[in-house]
Amino acid sequence: MSNEETKISVSKTVPPVGSGVNEPDMTDWKQVADRYFMPTVKRCPLTLVKGKGARVWDDHGNEYLDFVGGWAVTSLGHCHPVVVEALVRQAQELIQASNQFYTVPQTKLARLLVENSCLDRVFLCNSGAEADEGAVKLARRFGKLHLNGAFEVITAFDSFHGRTLAMVAATGQRKFQEPYIPMPDGFINVVFNDLSAIKSATSGRTCAVMLEPIQGEGGVNVPDAGYLKEVRGWCDEKGILLILDEVQTGLGRIGSVFGYQQYGVEPDVLTLAKGLGSGVPIGAILCKEKASVFQPGDHGSTFGGNPLTCAAAYATVKYILDNDVSGQVKKVGGYLISELHKMKAHFKNITEVRGLGLLVAAEFNQDIAEDLVMACMKHGLLLNKVKPNTVRFIPPLIITEKDVDQALNILKRTLQHIGD
Ligand SMILES: Cc1ncc(COP(=O)(O)O)c(C=O)c1O
């Protein structure tokens, strides 16, 4: 054994699995995971092993109706046949190639996204944070070239743009920033749904405003109908870019292919991820020609545009477009919201129901979200706590009204025993 290896094993404070000390039961995946992972997330005590449509199964064979959907990711449901088929076919042909070369799946995906949006150019990456950070880099390039070096990006309180250091600074939530202070420069967080706040924060240093059409992780906050139009007008007046973060709202989630279509605005830059690949990790930055300022070498990614993920994303987007999934979301999401409003009339502890399409939240008069999520789980429904007093409904886009009825029946039964 080398000195280095000796040093490593001696410095370990937690005995490894196989050491005979505190040996976890190898079939208890929760225990094994808790031993090996950095504890970055408080997980539900459930090990998922299988998914189909809007349902998942745990390692004991129990079935759950999944209204979490991998955090608004499994847009076509779990293991949709068109996605599985695209993955299997592509896995047999070409899994990875560097962006030094052209590949077919990424080219087909880029064309599909551009031809069905108001944007002209695409950069493909691997996640929402990476897409948003790339969008900010694009805006800074734009600022250097066209706005005398302006570099600041105005974002909103209660927004969420990801977990990289720069995107934590962009994310207007103290709880994500505090552990990592000092924050990188160049972001100003202002009140959401208030044009005057953006106006006051705008200066000669501003190159862009970045907003979510509806704030997802911040609690499903829907702005006034005219807000984005006003922001668009202000950005035009100042010659700065409007970046819409549609990582969560994009690709059918709120009842239109893109969220901006419901607000009568066109962004200069748009980011996507989550539902884009119906479960595979992929993100995208789209932009208008005027904002397409990256030159070769300015930005890049090893896995961005990977043939395997692009094949799945192409199959996903094509299915969403060909089958009017957004129209279905509008209907079933409308049904979910109206049924929740009916519940609100009966359950005094529900104080607010908000959202659009299948990005919906119910707020309570007490911090019962965690208890509610756990209790619903025991009855076969998976929900997401988005705030201590708020649960979020972000199921696959293909759910039916029957699924909504099943979910809300579980929720009603559970609520009768929680809070007051
Ligand atoms: C609007 C929005 N932007 C960015 C992100 C970050 O995406 P990712 O977790 O894929 O990095 C999220 C994630 O929840 C999001 O909701």
Side-chain angles (χ1 to χ4, degrees):
M1 192 183 267
S2 72
N3 283 346
E4 194 55 26
E5 281 170 316
T6 313
K7 208 165 75 199
I8 289 167
S9 65
V10 166
S11 71
K12 277 187 173 165
T13 52
V14 185
V17 170
S19 67
V21 185
N22 295 337
E23 176 78 327
D25 174 359
M26 288 305 289
T27 60
D28 183 347
W29 294 110
K30 176 188 175 310
Q31 198 190 346
V32 178
D34 290 347
R35 157 65 184 83
Y36 286 107
F37 280 107
M38 295 187 201
T40 56
V41 60
K42 200 170 164 200
R43 303 194 208 232
C44 290
L46 202 63
T47 302
L48 300 180
V49 294
K50 186 177 144 96
K52 192 165 171 39
R55 283 167 178 77
V56 287
W57 286 264
D58 69 15
D59 55 344
H60 299 290
N62 300 309
E63 181 180 313
Y64 302 86
L65 183 54
D66 183 9
F67 269 45
V68 178
W71 286 337
V73 165
T74 52
S75 43
L76 302 188
H78 293 278
C79 304
H80 193 284
V82 299
V83 177
V84 173
E85 201 219 320
L87 282 169
V88 169
R89 199 177 348 103
Q90 191 58 43
Q92 288 166 340
E93 285 174 6
L94 182 68
I95 292 178
Q96 164 72 355
S98 84
N99 282 307
Q100 191 178 331
F101 306 101
Y102 294 98
T103 54
V104 179
Q106 64 170 227
T107 309
K108 286 170 69 175
L109 176 62
R111 180 171 60 185
L112 194 64
L113 290 172
V114 165
E115 296 304 329
N116 290 283
S117 72
C118 67
L119 292 311
D120 302 306
R121 298 269 173 185
V122 180
F123 176 86
L124 293 169
C125 55
N126 311 285
S127 70
E130 196 187 340
D132 287 347
E133 180 131 353
V136 167
K137 283 176 74 179
L138 190 69
R140 283 195 177 198
R141 273 313 278 136
F142 186 86
K144 253 199 172 47
L145 292 168
H146 301 302
L147 299 168
N148 299 318
F151 64 95
E152 269 176 8
V153 176
I154 299 171
T155 64
F157 289 130
D158 290 327
S159 62
F160 190 85
H161 300 294
R163 300 292 200 139
T164 63
L165 201 51
M167 288 309 98
V168 167
T171 292
Q173 298 194 53
R174 286 298 284 179
K175 68 177 179 195
F176 294 121
Q177 297 180 347
E178 226 135 46
Y180 305 105
I181 282 169
M183 285 287 104
D185 244 6
F187 297 94
I188 301 187
N189 309 140
V190 303
V191 174
F192 186 56
N193 197 24
D194 178 358
L195 179 67
S196 67
I198 290 178
K199 282 187 172 176
S200 309
T202 306
S203 72
R205 294 186 302 276
T206 311
C207 65
V209 175
M210 179 159 80
L211 297 168
E212 297 155 82
I214 295 176
Q215 294 183 326
E217 305 296 314
V220 187
N221 307 317
V222 185
D224 295 339
Y227 173 62
L228 285 183
K229 246 188 184 156
E230 288 174 355
V231 177
R232 173 72 276 178
W234 178 248
C235 290
D236 288 342
E237 198 179 318
K238 292 288 155 188
I240 59 181
L241 298 179
L242 174 60
I243 303 170
L244 285 187
D245 176 348
E246 294 228 28
V247 164
Q248 190 153 162
T249 55
L251 297 162
R253 173 61 54 189
I254 63 170
S256 48
V257 177
F258 300 102
Y260 70 79
Q261 292 164 326
Q262 294 192 54
Y263 290 93
V265 296
E266 293 192 353
D268 303 303
V269 183
L270 174 108
T271 56
L272 298 171
K274 288 200 181 277
L276 176 56
S278 205
V280 304
I282 182 165
I285 311 166
L286 281 75
C287 72
K288 294 265 195 194
E289 200 64 59
K290 78 160 191 187
S292 181
V293 290
F294 281 152
Q295 290 299 313
D298 281 351
H299 194 50
S301 166
T302 295
F303 291 116
N306 166 280
L308 192 66
T309 53
C310 286
Y314 178 79
T316 300
V317 178
K318 189 143 176 24
Y319 187 94
I320 288 173
L321 295 169
D322 290 352
N323 295 279
D324 188 24
V325 169
S326 316
Q328 295 300 322
V329 167
K330 207 171 197 159
K331 272 194 223 143
V332 75
Y335 180 69
L336 169 63
I337 292 168
S338 76
E339 289 300 301
L340 279 169
H341 274 294
K342 282 186 204 161
M343 274 180 70
K344 180 173 172 279
H346 284 95
F347 289 87
K348 297 278 171 286
N349 52 4
I350 303 179
T351 52
E352 197 178 333
V353 173
R354 52 180 184 262
L356 205 55
L358 288 171
L359 176 54
V360 179
E363 190 171 302
F364 301 91
N365 59 1
Q366 290 169 48
D367 291 350
I368 58 166
E370 190 160 337
D371 290 347
L372 194 57
V373 166
M374 293 302 286
C376 284
M377 188 189 85
K378 286 188 184 129
H379 291 101
L381 170 67
L382 304 186
L383 284 179
N384 171 248
K385 176 191 102 174
V386 72
K387 281 177 147 189
N389 66 346
T390 309
V391 293
R392 184 172 45 157
F393 305 81
I394 37 174
L397 306 181
I398 45 80
I399 59 156
T400 61
E401 292 189 359
K402 223 169 132 196
D403 294 327
V404 170
D405 288 340
Q406 188 187 340
L408 296 190
N409 282 337
I410 295 173
L411 186 63
K412 280 176 204 161
R413 258 188 284 140
T414 310
L415 262 179
Q416 267 152 11
H417 304 288
I418 288 183
D420 213 351

